[in-house]
Amino acid sequence: QVQLVESGGGSVQAGGSRKLSCAVSGSDFGTYCLGWFRQAPEKNQRARVGTINSVGKTIYANAVKGRFTISRDNANNTLYLQMDSLTPEDTAMYYCAADRRTDIYCSALEGGFPDWGQGTQVTVSS
């Protein structure tokens, strides 16, 4: 089991940017899928923001495509989420997740990721 710890959340004005980080424990960080999910206020489920596989291929949800960028630093066991052009609709608790069972084909679903961080809140004001 890996441990994931998010950081970088906070308040930002609409149109601004924020970068989230996720520190991941373990020695095989570069070999599996990672993802970012978010849970908006009053929503019961976490929605995919995007995923990145072991070779750096990223897939994004339509709502964030062109505004958010996911990257990974395999040397430092860290996953990133760069968020630009933020809107109030991006307000949510953001979670990073890991699936060590797969390296290339990352799940698009919350249930496809066994390991999760505790989340970091991002609030965008208009």
Side-chain angles (χ1 to χ4, degrees):
Q1 187 175 6
V2 295
Q3 292 187 335
L4 302 94
V5 180
E6 302 94 339
S7 61
S11 297
V12 60
Q13 289 195 329
S17 298
R18 199 85 183 180
K19 186 172 186 176
L20 305 182
S21 300
C22 174
V24 183
S25 67
S27 59
D28 56 350
F29 175 82
T31 66
Y32 51 82
C33 282
L34 296 162
W36 285 100
F37 289 75
R38 65 185 181 183
Q39 186 168 0
E42 302 178 354
K43 295 287 187 180
N44 293 327
Q45 288 185 316
R46 289 180 280 205
R48 182 188 63 164
V49 173
T51 58
I52 185 167
N53 70 7
S54 63
V55 296
K57 179 176 172 58
T58 52
I59 298 175
Y60 298 95
N62 287 336
V64 307
K65 199 173 294 184
R67 300 188 298 122
F68 289 14
T69 303
I70 295 173
S71 60
R72 63 192 298 166
D73 181 348
N74 291 340
N76 292 295
N77 283 28
T78 305
L79 173 70
Y80 297 102
L81 177 64
Q82 175 67 46
M83 304 183 292
D84 299 315
S85 302
L86 285 161
T87 73
E89 288 69 36
D90 295 314
T91 295
M93 184 73 80
Y94 284 74
Y95 299 88
C96 60
D99 182 5
R100 294 184 297 158
R101 303 166 299 179
T102 182
D103 56 349
I104 298 298
Y105 300 106
C106 302
S107 174
L109 302 176
E110 175 185 3
F113 285 81
D115 298 304
W116 292 82
Q118 82 289 350
T120 186
Q121 177 69 36
V122 174
T123 302
V124 184
S125 59
S126 58

